[in-house]
Amino acid sequence: VRVIVRVCACDCVRVIVCVPSLCEDLLSSVDQPLKIARDKVVGKDYLLCDYNRDGDSYRCSTEYRDLYFEGGVSSVYLWDLDHGFAGVILIKKAGDGSKKIKGCWDSIHVVEVQVRAGAPLPVQTGINNVNCFYLPNLGNMDMENKIRSTLNEIYFGKTKDIVNGLRSVQMLADKSKQEALKNDLMQVLSQRSKQQS
Amino acid sequence: MTDFEEPLSDEEKVRIAANFVTHAPPGEFNEVFNDVRLLLNNDNLLREGAAHAFAQYNMDQFTPVKLDGSEESVLITEHGDLGQGRFFDPRKRVSFRFDHLRKEASDPQPYEGETALRSWRDACDEALSAYVKEHYPTGVCTVYGKTVDGQQTIIACIEGHQFQPKNFWNGRCRSEWKFTISQSSAQVVGVLKIQVHYYEDGNVQLVSHKEVEESIVVTNETQTAKEFVKIIENAENDYQTAISENYQTMSDTTFKALRRQLPVTRTKIDWNKILSYKIGKEMQNA
């Protein structure tokens, strides 16, 4: 997995230099690992993405991030729409490199909030209040947990299954004997339970 | 960084194209080749400039091929490369032409190989083939007896793959094992590689390799072959077990270190409550 993350950014550049006309399409549809930059004025790290290339930045509530990520860097960028607002929430957490393990979790959540006519509006005395009102709804859309579980069980689980399908530690002859024995046992057990009932 | 406005030379473009091709995941060479062909939009350039890359890919991957009328496959590797697009099968003692794009063998000719090493090669091949049948559902092995750098060497190559593009996955494992027979005490050197790609609604690759070194006592052909295979079996079993254990570790520690399933408090965040203490803190720090 590490090899692929490292290669991805280079591959994008390689395709673009071969076919410059694909530049915009490629950059907007392929997610690169999030880059960290430093705001020297405030002395804090923030994350770069397509959405804050020319906009303002606003550092998000770190409570959620610290509880789930115990550290890491996060940034939120919001912009107005005609009937509401949209935003992107970025989170980057790198493993601490201990125990010879290297890893990185990048989240890019893109959110659109539509305010319908007639709906109660929050009193806008400052950007803080807008965030407060909508935060519980955004927070409860727990996509990250679903993705994390999916990653763990399906994606990683599946690759492990494939590896064990390529080679068997147990001798294949023994494996098929074991399977046959298991099937026989199951048959006997199910016949017995039928007789008893 | 490259200035995107300056057009790239043909040479550089085809080098990039070749690079993409040599890194194609197992079973996906054709897809990568076709995509690269579209991007480059110059078939002559691709054919001439990247031919070496197609050959390199097949040799790296230990691509198996069946000779006409044969039930058994032989592996395409650097050890069997005779140049001019020809390879040899040390078991069948035959050389053949190999088409790297079609992955087809043709024009078989007798090929004797190094006769001095034949009995050693045959003994190792027999023992290894039995081992591969016992552990690899779709495995193929090819054993060479060659003089390398003046040393009489046995080189064993094993390959096993499963391609299921309809289910969005492909996987291959390869291993290469060598030892010299010139002295009674030798080192068995092995490299084991696994690559799996799963891309259903996502994109995950496992790429792993391990190097192994074990000493071996060289006596007679049969006994040495038996010990050689024992070393291989133990090392490959250990490697596969270690990979399974790594998955567990990854799930328990690394993954959790990146993102926990539950917060440190062991309960999900109450988003309505979180506001009350958070606003206060931010306003203090502002």
Side-chain angles (χ1 to χ4, degrees):
Chain A
V1 171
R2 177 186 155 214
V3 171
I4 300 313
V5 167
R6 196 181 62 212
V7 162
C8 189
C10 303
D11 280 349
C12 244
V13 170
R14 288 195 188 111
V15 175
I16 292 169
V17 298
C18 284
V19 192
S21 56
L22 285 179
C23 186
E24 274 305 312
D25 285 331
L26 207 60
L27 288 179
S28 63
S29 62
V30 175
D31 288 321
Q32 300 293 323
L34 294 174
K35 293 209 179 74
I36 301 180
R38 191 139 184 101
D39 180 340
K40 296 202 178 92
V41 173
V42 189
K44 276 193 174 176
D45 287 333
Y46 67 97
L47 294 169
L48 304 172
C49 72
D50 228 36
Y51 297 100
N52 68 320
R53 267 200 280 175
D54 45 27
D56 300 309
S57 81
Y58 171 72
R59 270 169 289 284
C60 85
S61 154
T62 53
E63 184 79 9
Y64 166 80
R65 189 201 74 207
D66 285 341
L67 281 175
Y68 276 102
F69 292 89
E70 298 175 86
V73 181
S74 54
S75 299
V76 172
Y77 306 104
L78 307 171
W79 57 94
D80 288 318
L81 298 174
D82 287 338
H83 299 284
F85 67 93
V88 61
I89 302 155
L90 307 173
I91 302 172
K92 187 177 185 82
K93 172 73 196 284
D96 59 5
S98 64
K99 298 184 199 152
K100 295 187 187 176
I101 301 168
K102 259 173 105 165
C104 184
W105 173 289
D106 280 0
S107 288
I108 303 172
H109 297 272
V110 184
V111 154
E112 192 182 293
V113 178
Q114 285 179 359
V115 181
R116 289 211 197 94
L121 278 174
V123 173
Q124 298 194 30
T125 58
I127 197 164
N128 268 347
N129 281 350
V130 172
N131 215 26
C132 303
F133 187 76
Y134 296 108
L135 195 57
N137 288 320
L138 292 177
N140 282 326
M141 283 189 269
D142 209 359
M143 278 308 297
E144 284 212 343
N145 256 354
K146 290 195 196 99
I147 289 172
R148 188 210 186 277
S149 294
T150 309
L151 267 177
N152 207 26
E153 283 139 35
I154 300 178
Y155 289 106
F156 292 167
K158 182 73 182 178
T159 56
K160 180 178 160 191
D161 289 345
I162 295 168
V163 169
N164 290 327
L166 294 172
R167 185 185 183 281
S168 169
V169 172
Q170 189 183 24
M171 301 222 284
L172 293 172
D174 289 349
K175 216 180 194 176
S176 53
K177 268 190 211 151
Q178 218 176 51
E179 278 299 309
L181 179 64
K182 199 168 77 177
N183 288 336
D184 284 347
L185 265 174
M186 277 172 56
Q187 272 200 343
V188 169
L189 285 171
S190 73
Q191 274 171 10
R192 238 185 240 161
S193 65
K194 277 192 201 136
Q195 284 170 359
Q196 281 170 355
S197 60
Chain B
M1 261 296 276
T2 321
D3 178 359
F4 289 167
E5 272 142 42
E6 227 175 74
L8 226 58
S9 72
D10 276 353
E11 208 176 77
E12 283 166 309
K13 277 193 194 175
V14 83
R15 193 171 49 83
I16 291 175
N19 190 268
F20 273 123
V21 160
T22 47
H23 287 96
E28 295 168 34
F29 175 87
N30 288 351
E31 284 76 3
V32 173
F33 174 78
N34 289 333
D35 286 348
V36 152
R37 191 181 171 194
L38 278 174
L39 287 174
L40 204 63
N41 200 24
N42 186 338
D43 280 359
N44 283 332
L45 180 66
L46 185 61
R47 198 181 11 251
E48 281 159 25
H52 70 284
F54 310 148
Q56 193 59 52
Y57 181 82
N58 285 323
M59 289 192 287
D60 283 347
Q61 291 285 316
F62 287 4
T63 302
V65 66
K66 277 207 176 94
L67 296 166
D68 255 345
S70 174
E71 276 304 303
E72 292 173 329
S73 302
V74 62
L75 299 178
I76 298 295
T77 77
E78 57 172 310
H79 313 291
D81 186 2
L82 296 173
Q84 318 293 321
R86 291 190 76 85
F87 289 82
F88 74 96
D89 180 345
R91 184 185 296 157
K92 297 256 164 31
R93 296 181 210 152
V94 156
S95 78
F96 55 91
R97 188 158 177 67
F98 187 66
D99 182 327
H100 286 286
L101 283 178
R102 287 208 181 85
K103 309 222 201 300
E104 282 170 6
S106 62
D107 187 26
Q109 304 288 338
Y111 184 86
E112 286 310 302
E114 289 185 40
T115 48
L117 286 156
R118 181 167 294 165
S119 58
W120 290 88
R121 190 225 76 88
D122 288 352
C124 288
D125 192 359
E126 198 180 316
L128 194 71
S129 296
Y131 158 74
V132 168
K133 252 208 178 77
E134 281 169 355
H135 290 272
Y136 290 82
T138 59
V140 176
C141 70
T142 297
V143 179
Y144 305 90
K146 297 174 81 168
T147 304
V148 178
D149 295 336
Q151 301 266 32
Q152 291 185 314
T153 312
I154 297 294
I155 305 168
C157 302
I158 304 171
E159 181 270 352
H161 72 266
Q162 291 265 20
F163 297 159
Q164 295 209 12
K166 291 206 172 75
N167 291 320
F168 307 101
W169 63 262
N170 297 299
R172 168 174 266 150
C173 56
R174 297 161 273 168
S175 53
E176 185 181 278
W177 294 89
K178 295 179 189 174
F179 72 103
T180 58
I181 60 169
S182 9
Q183 283 155 332
S184 58
S185 167
Q187 282 295 101
V188 173
V189 175
V191 179
L192 303 99
K193 294 179 182 168
I194 294 191
Q195 187 171 1
V196 172
H197 186 200
Y198 177 49
Y199 47 100
E200 182 172 19
D201 274 347
N203 194 359
V204 176
Q205 280 203 47
L206 165 72
V207 181
S208 169
H209 80 276
K210 185 176 181 193
E211 282 156 26
V212 177
E213 221 177 285
E214 289 281 341
S215 50
I216 191 173
V217 175
V218 178
T219 51
N220 61 61
E221 289 91 324
T222 320
Q223 188 57 34
T224 309
K226 200 170 155 193
E227 302 210 1
F228 180 47
V229 170
K230 194 95 204 91
I231 290 172
I232 293 174
E233 184 174 21
N234 289 339
E236 294 189 348
N237 279 350
D238 286 348
Y239 180 49
Q240 189 174 351
T241 308
I243 288 181
S244 285
E245 283 170 3
N246 270 351
Y247 272 105
Q248 200 52 48
T249 309
M250 192 165 61
S251 175
D252 293 340
T253 13
T254 326
F255 210 22
K256 203 161 145 188
L258 290 181
R259 199 218 184 262
R260 307 175 63 96
Q261 194 95 14
L262 282 178
V264 209
T265 54
R266 289 181 169 267
T267 48
K268 281 199 170 185
I269 289 181
D270 182 336
W271 285 95
N272 291 302
K273 274 211 187 118
I274 206 174
L275 298 173
S276 37
Y277 22 89
K278 198 48 216 160
I279 307 295
K281 199 168 166 209
E282 276 285 304
M283 287 186 137
Q284 268 172 18
N285 293 342

